Amino acid sequence: MNWQTIRRTIARGGVSASLCVLLVASAHGQVSSYGDKEAGENSGNQLPQVLQKVGVAQHLNQPLPLDAQFVDDTGKTVRLGDYFGKHPAILSLVYYNCPMLCSEEMDGLASALEMVKMNPGKDFEVIIISIDPTETPELAAKKKAFYVKRYGRPETANGWHFLTGQQPAIDAVSNATGFGYIRVPGPDGKLNQYAHASSIELVTTDGHIAQYYLGVEYSPKDVMLGLIDASGNKIGSPVANILTYCYHYDPQTNKNSLIVARVVQLGGMVTVVSLGSFMFVMFRRDLRLGRDHDLTSKGTDDRFEKDKG
């Protein structure tokens, strides 16, 4: 993920809304140090407590629960297996009301697919499943409409599937994919948001996990080659465990963060005003010096003309 994406992520999330933390893990699970009030302080290379249950365990060649039932974006009850048999699929577990990271993941997926010379519905399927059992098909339909438009190929709409479901079906898919997440308090103190990582999975035509791509930006070349391999039921290799985590602070921390933000904003305003005042004073000084110089030059010219005369 480049710095432009990080800045865009921070700008979209807002100071008091959410925190997205990029943690790079080695094969031994070492990560950068981080802590917060709700999660408890961490030490050394340990994850914050709240993130110890969050992550992506790569279950390559694991079959998906094809009998799991969901509701699609039209309100129709479907089986996960309805989308397999002919094409490979790109699978993503998100939640549609996610304040930040899920949108970045979906934006990254849409951007990558724009560069892939294959089409959803014809060459592969895109399956998005909400991990929040309270979300509705109406919300899923809005998200689908947004991302199909974002993708720019409206004729591929039948290849995009935005699903909602009940907890048992969600658990079956998340367990199969190794997608660990946890419910956490939102700004109102209610458990209405999720701490989770970001990943997409490529799935073979017969419903086995073929490849993982982690983070929020994906190489179009890698995605295309992965889809070609998955269409032949080939299983890929594990990838480096580079995870993008997103989780919400507790309300008290949110308030503290907002106070810090206001202090920073006030400091910025003071800086702008100070710089503006300094520039105004210097501008007036330059004007005055310029006038004095003109008067001096004019007096010198007058004396020269008088002496010359």
Side-chain angles (χ1 to χ4, degrees):
M1 184 167 66
N2 57 38
W3 289 109
Q4 183 179 1
T5 301
I6 295 174
R7 290 195 295 269
R8 187 170 67 245
T9 302
I10 295 172
R12 288 185 180 180
V15 176
S16 64
S18 293
L19 175 67
C20 195
V21 186
L22 180 66
L23 299 175
V24 181
S26 70
H28 300 289
Q30 294 181 339
V31 297
S32 57
S33 178
Y34 182 80
D36 75 89
K37 284 180 64 177
E38 180 188 18
E41 295 298 324
N42 62 303
S43 60
N45 291 321
Q46 295 298 314
L47 280 170
Q49 183 180 350
V50 70
L51 295 183
Q52 305 240 342
K53 300 178 181 179
V54 174
V56 179
Q58 298 179 43
H59 294 170
L60 292 172
N61 207 23
Q62 174 76 24
L64 293 180
L66 300 184
D67 288 332
Q69 288 192 343
F70 293 91
V71 178
D72 70 10
D73 44 82
T74 67
K76 177 184 175 182
T77 299
V78 296
R79 291 172 56 255
L80 189 58
D82 293 342
Y83 305 115
F84 294 95
K86 294 182 178 180
H87 306 137
I90 297 175
L91 173 67
S92 177
L93 297 179
V94 299
Y95 69 106
Y96 303 132
N97 281 320
C98 180
M100 181 163 47
L101 185 62
C102 298
S103 296
E104 291 298 323
E105 177 182 323
M106 291 300 301
D107 286 346
L109 176 59
S111 296
L113 292 181
E114 287 174 11
M115 306 297 291
V116 173
K117 295 181 180 179
M118 301 170 72
N119 291 304
K122 178 181 179 182
D123 304 303
F124 64 95
E125 307 295 329
V126 179
I127 304 171
I128 312 298
I129 298 178
S130 171
I131 59 176
D132 185 347
T134 68
E135 293 188 327
T136 64
E138 291 77 16
L139 180 57
K142 290 180 181 178
K143 287 294 181 179
K144 175 178 177 175
F146 178 85
Y147 281 105
V148 170
K149 182 178 180 180
R150 164 81 168 76
Y151 178 56
R153 303 180 202 173
E155 70 278 6
T156 68
N158 288 336
W160 294 77
H161 314 284
F162 283 67
L163 310 181
T164 55
Q166 298 303 308
Q167 198 65 58
I170 295 171
D171 288 344
V173 176
S174 63
N175 291 336
T177 57
F179 185 83
Y181 64 94
I182 186 172
R183 200 162 223 182
V184 293
D188 55 3
K190 297 180 180 179
L191 293 173
N192 54 9
Q193 295 195 7
Y194 294 86
H196 62 94
S198 177
S199 71
I200 60 173
E201 293 75 45
L202 269 57
V203 187
T204 64
T205 57
D206 60 359
H208 286 68
I209 300 173
Q211 188 65 67
Y212 286 81
Y213 296 121
L214 307 179
V216 295
E217 288 191 348
Y218 314 104
S219 164
K221 180 180 179 181
D222 289 344
V223 171
M224 183 176 69
L225 293 176
L227 284 171
I228 292 173
D229 285 345
S231 68
N233 292 325
K234 295 180 181 179
I235 305 301
S237 302
V239 298
N241 199 20
I242 302 176
L243 297 178
T244 305
Y245 294 98
C246 188
Y247 72 98
H248 207 293
Y249 277 155
D250 64 73
Q252 185 60 42
T253 306
N254 277 333
K255 292 177 182 177
N256 293 341
S257 298
L258 187 59
I259 292 172
V260 172
R262 294 292 181 259
V263 171
V264 172
Q265 291 172 354
L266 179 60
M269 293 174 61
V270 171
T271 301
V272 170
V273 171
S274 299
L275 286 174
S277 300
F278 175 77
M279 292 175 66
F280 178 74
V281 171
M282 295 303 294
F283 180 71
R284 291 193 60 183
R285 177 176 174 273
D286 289 343
L287 285 178
R288 186 174 65 253
L289 290 175
R291 286 197 300 268
D292 292 344
H293 176 72
D294 292 341
L295 290 175
T296 302
S297 298
K298 185 176 184 304
T300 301
D301 292 342
D302 289 344
R303 287 195 299 273
F304 176 77
E305 292 295 333
K306 182 176 180 182
D307 293 342
K308 184 179 179 181

